[in-house]
């Protein structure tokens, strides 16, 4: 199961990318705007270093499914090409 996180903090939308670092055997992300490092915790992504230290990007509701099942449940959905 995957997680989806908000990327908005203090009125700014962050661009998250892999940092190349791991912590406790988990990949750490960084934001391209400030270089802060983000680590997944129970309540979301938590800044563990940098300008946003201690702030959290909350996990947002999402659904893991296949296109086939999604289309059955939401027949008016369109697929971007």
């Amino acid at each position: 199961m995957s997680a989806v996180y908000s990327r908005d903090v203090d009125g700014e939308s962050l661009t998250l990318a892999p940092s190349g670092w791991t912590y406790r055997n988990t990949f750490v992300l960084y934001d391209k705007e400030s270089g802060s490092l983000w680590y997944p915790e129970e309540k979301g992504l938590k800044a563990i270093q940098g300008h946003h230290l201690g702030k959290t990007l909350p996990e947002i509701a999402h659904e893991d499914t296949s296109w086939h099942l999604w289309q059955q449940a939401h027949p008016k959905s369109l697929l971007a090409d």
Side-chain angles (χ1 to χ4, degrees), residues 9 13 15 22 24 28 37 39 42-43 52-53 63 67-68 74 76 80-81:
V9 64
S13 289
T15 306
T22 59
R24 297 183 181 162
V28 175
L37 296 177
Y39 179 77
E42 187 175 321
K43 294 183 181 181
H52 296 296
L53 179 66
E63 184 176 336
W67 172 246
H68 176 75
H74 309 278
K76 293 184 180 182
D81 194 17

Side-chain angles (χ1 to χ4, degrees), residues 4-5 58-63:
V4 178
Y5 302 99
E59 188 170 349
I60 57 177
H62 66 284
E63 184 176 336

Side-chain angles (χ1 to χ4, degrees), residues 14-54:
L14 303 177
T15 306
L16 299 169
S19 69
W21 294 87
T22 59
Y23 178 68
R24 297 183 181 162
N25 297 320
T26 301
F27 289 104
V28 175
L29 300 174
Y30 81 101
D31 71 74
K32 293 183 178 182
E33 290 70 24
S34 75
S36 297
L37 296 177
W38 299 88
Y39 179 77
E41 292 191 338
E42 187 175 321
K43 294 183 181 181
L45 287 179
K46 184 171 184 176
I48 58 172
Q49 181 276 324
H51 177 75
H52 296 296
L53 179 66

Side-chain angles (χ1 to χ4, degrees), residues 63-74 77 79:
E63 184 176 336
D64 289 327
T65 188
S66 68
W67 172 246
H68 176 75
L69 293 175
W70 180 268
Q71 196 173 33
Q72 285 180 341
H74 309 278
S77 295
L79 182 61

